[in-house]
Amino acid sequence: MFETSSRLPDFPWDKLAPYKQKAAAHPDGIVDLSIGSPVDPVPDLIKKALADAADAPAYPTTIGTATARQSAVDWMARRLDVAGVDPQTGVLPVIGTKELIMMLPTLLGIGAGDTVLIPDLAYPTYEAGAALARAASVPVVDPTTYDAGPVRVAYLNSPRNPSGEITSADDLRRAVEWARANDVLLVSDECYAEFGWDSRPVSVLHPSVCGGSFDGLLAVHSLSKRSNLAGYRGGFVAGDPAVVAELLSVRKHAGLMVPSPIQAAMAAAFADDTHVDEQRARYLRRRSVLRDALTDAGWVITLSNGGLYLWAEHPSYDAYGSVGALADRGILVAPGAFYGTAGERHVRVALTGTDERIDAAVKRLQE
């Protein structure tokens, strides 16, 4: 009777169940580095902001509070050097950015016969969102080289999940020029923007990239990674005021509203940089020890210059062989095949384990 799910790709994490069972049998327990879900505490200042706003009996508005929107705009200016976003018309809070990415084609009326470009190595939700809208998704290495017909939306992701690749300002600029020349909405998923290791990530809304105009551009930002707020479900989309207005109009009808206490927590999180710098230092330390241990054990790390993952391969295994070999040591990782055919010899190793679990993984790799 109902067939929507049949249009969607398989939910990949179900395939990890036997490997998770194998890893969990390790005498010292599993080290689960398969999912990029934060494990460190929510900062106290954010918890306080949430608690202080807990008396919230009225419906929130879809457009969000002025405080939350201004805090997001101020953060972009302070941390990403993005200026000129109007907090009244250029930014919209969302219920976690996975929701926004999944629903974006549907909310914008994209459907059967339309084409959506996604990265060749990609977070599965880009493909799933296009499928939900009955649009075709096409994986590409570089959207500017696509010439097989009209495109409605093209996604970028930098630093990229799963590979950690950071797109240069020059490549972003080329993508912007191509998108505008071909009337394509360019959507840049920048949820790892605070975590550039070997180079600094650049936003698609940076003036050196967009020329000071946000026409045809959206940037998507999340608090899940930078502030350990995956459980709060808070983020925002910013950019072209006309597209933001369309999203707002449709989302009003759908009742897609960020709860008021969460918006208060969002405002506090975006207003504070200290907790982000502290979290960044934790991830940097975990990245360093885990990268060294994998390399010493015969793994090759490529890209991985940003984000919260190491993109690793072993000469003896394909993706699932690698997952199995690490599961034998009680370490669970994600096969690169989850993210596209370009990842069929890789695994994605998340840095989102506690220090104790990361150290346990390092010890096992050294044995």
Side-chain angles (χ1 to χ4, degrees):
M1 182 184 298
F2 302 108
E3 300 179 349
T4 300
S5 63
S6 67
R7 299 203 305 271
L8 304 181
D10 292 338
F11 191 68
W13 299 103
D14 294 342
K15 298 178 182 179
L16 271 189
Y19 299 98
K20 185 172 185 177
Q21 184 176 10
K22 180 189 289 188
H26 191 280
D28 186 37
I30 189 172
V31 178
D32 191 345
L33 305 180
S34 65
I35 300 178
S37 184
V39 296
D40 299 301
V42 174
D44 288 341
L45 68 99
I46 299 174
K47 291 189 289 187
K48 182 178 186 304
L50 180 76
D52 289 349
D55 186 14
Y59 286 113
T61 59
T62 300
I63 196 172
T65 66
T67 302
R69 285 182 277 116
Q70 186 66 57
S71 184
V73 168
D74 291 344
W75 169 76
M76 283 190 287
R78 189 175 68 250
R79 299 288 272 195
L80 304 180
D81 296 326
V82 170
V85 177
D86 187 336
Q88 303 300 320
T89 62
V91 62
L92 185 65
V94 296
I95 312 164
T97 55
K98 182 172 183 177
E99 168 262 308
L100 186 277
I101 289 168
M102 182 69 179
M103 295 300 298
L104 185 71
T106 299
L107 294 173
L108 294 179
I110 293 163
D114 292 328
T115 297
V116 175
L117 301 186
I118 65 174
D120 65 322
L121 279 171
Y123 174 55
T125 307
Y126 307 126
E127 178 188 0
L132 182 66
R134 300 181 184 272
S137 61
V138 180
V140 293
V141 175
D142 179 352
T144 69
T145 64
Y146 184 81
D147 59 2
V151 174
R152 296 293 304 279
V153 173
Y155 284 103
L156 302 175
N157 180 208
S158 176
R160 193 190 296 195
N161 176 10
S163 68
E165 181 179 6
I166 293 177
T167 306
S168 69
D170 287 343
D171 286 343
L172 287 173
R173 192 180 308 110
R174 281 194 309 105
V176 169
E177 292 169 354
W178 167 85
R180 288 174 173 165
N182 291 278
D183 195 26
V184 177
L185 176 65
L186 190 64
V187 182
S188 182
D189 182 356
E190 301 173 358
C191 72
Y192 300 98
E194 296 269 17
F195 301 118
W197 310 120
D198 301 326
S199 61
R200 184 184 180 190
V202 180
S203 174
V204 75
L205 303 184
H206 191 279
S208 70
V209 172
C210 70
S213 168
F214 304 142
D215 290 350
L217 306 176
L218 291 178
V220 181
H221 288 283
S222 170
L223 284 162
S224 295
K225 315 300 183 182
R226 73 179 293 279
S227 299
N228 300 332
L229 291 188
Y232 281 42
R233 311 312 303 134
F236 70 88
V237 59
D240 189 328
V243 182
V244 171
E246 179 67 9
L247 291 171
L248 173 60
S249 295
V250 180
R251 289 171 70 85
K252 283 179 181 178
H253 285 284
L256 294 172
M257 305 171 287
V258 179
S260 300
I262 298 298
Q263 291 193 58
M266 288 172 58
F270 278 125
D272 180 72
D273 298 330
T274 300
H275 77 277
V276 183
D277 293 337
E278 292 171 351
Q279 188 61 43
R280 178 185 168 84
R282 293 187 191 105
Y283 284 135
L284 185 59
R285 180 258 173 194
R286 293 167 187 168
R287 176 182 184 266
S288 177
V289 298
L290 196 54
R291 182 180 186 128
D292 288 349
L294 283 164
T295 301
D296 290 346
W299 298 80
V300 178
I301 309 297
T302 54
L303 302 174
S304 307
N305 50 353
L308 298 184
Y309 311 102
L310 293 173
W311 190 234
E313 63 178 314
H314 195 286
S316 300
Y317 312 112
D318 64 6
Y320 280 97
S322 294
V323 173
L326 289 169
D328 287 338
R329 295 173 179 263
I331 302 168
L332 186 66
V333 299
F338 276 10
Y339 306 95
T341 57
E344 288 181 346
R345 292 202 59 83
H346 290 77
V347 291
R348 191 194 74 170
V349 185
L351 306 180
T352 49
T354 63
D355 288 341
E356 184 274 332
R357 287 289 83 187
I358 294 288
D359 290 343
V362 167
K363 181 179 179 182
R364 295 174 195 184
L365 288 165
Q366 291 173 338
E367 290 172 348

